[in-house]
Amino acid sequence: MADGAPHARCHCGAVTTGLAAYPDEVTECNCSLCRSYGIRWAYFNAGEVAIPADACTHTYAWNGQNVDFHRCANCGCMTHWLPRDSLRERRGVNANLMPPGPIAGCRVRKVDGASRGRPRT
Ligand SMILES: [Zn+2]
């Protein structure tokens, strides 16, 4: 990945995900999982994110277990989620791991996942 290319990087750098572009919008969800992680998500289609094939992550699945939440095995940052159904295009990347400058002007979309008991995926 070229220097300065859009990316999300965990604290230690072991899981650095390339992005087609920085998002225009980030989502804050108030469900118990998103609140616990203190996360803001940016959503992408499969072709717009390059997650390193050798990324060493641990995963957590919850509720309907439709997606796996990945965190860096070294520094523990939640980095992204991936759908278990390989036909699903949508995936989420932790926007808090993107450089603050390029996403400073993003719209913030608030999602009431708490009332549904699950995160917005
Ligand atoms: Zn890390």
Side-chain angles (χ1 to χ4, degrees), residues 34-103:
C34 295
R35 193 162 41 80
S36 298
Y37 289 134
I39 216 159
R40 294 185 302 164
W41 296 110
Y43 300 119
F44 296 93
N45 287 328
E48 300 172 327
V49 292
I51 297 163
D54 61 350
C56 188
T57 59
H58 295 156
T59 61
Y60 177 67
W62 178 58
N63 209 321
Q65 307 207 331
N66 294 317
V67 305
D68 288 311
F69 293 88
H70 289 252
R71 62 187 182 277
C72 173
N74 186 43
C75 71
C77 288
M78 178 64 56
T79 54
H80 60 281
W81 61 257
L82 294 175
R84 288 192 171 179
D85 179 350
S86 61
L87 297 178
R88 279 185 65 193
E89 279 284 314
R90 189 173 164 93
R91 46 263 291 127
V93 175
N94 182 356
N96 290 338
L97 303 184
M98 298 173 192
I103 62 166

Side-chain angles (χ1 to χ4, degrees), residues 10-15 72 74-76:
C10 69
H11 193 261
C12 76
V15 184
C72 173
N74 186 43
C75 71

Side-chain angles (χ1 to χ4, degrees), residues 26-29 108-112:
V26 297
T27 296
E28 287 182 5
C29 174
V108 178
R109 185 165 145 266
K110 306 252 185 192
V111 169
D112 183 18

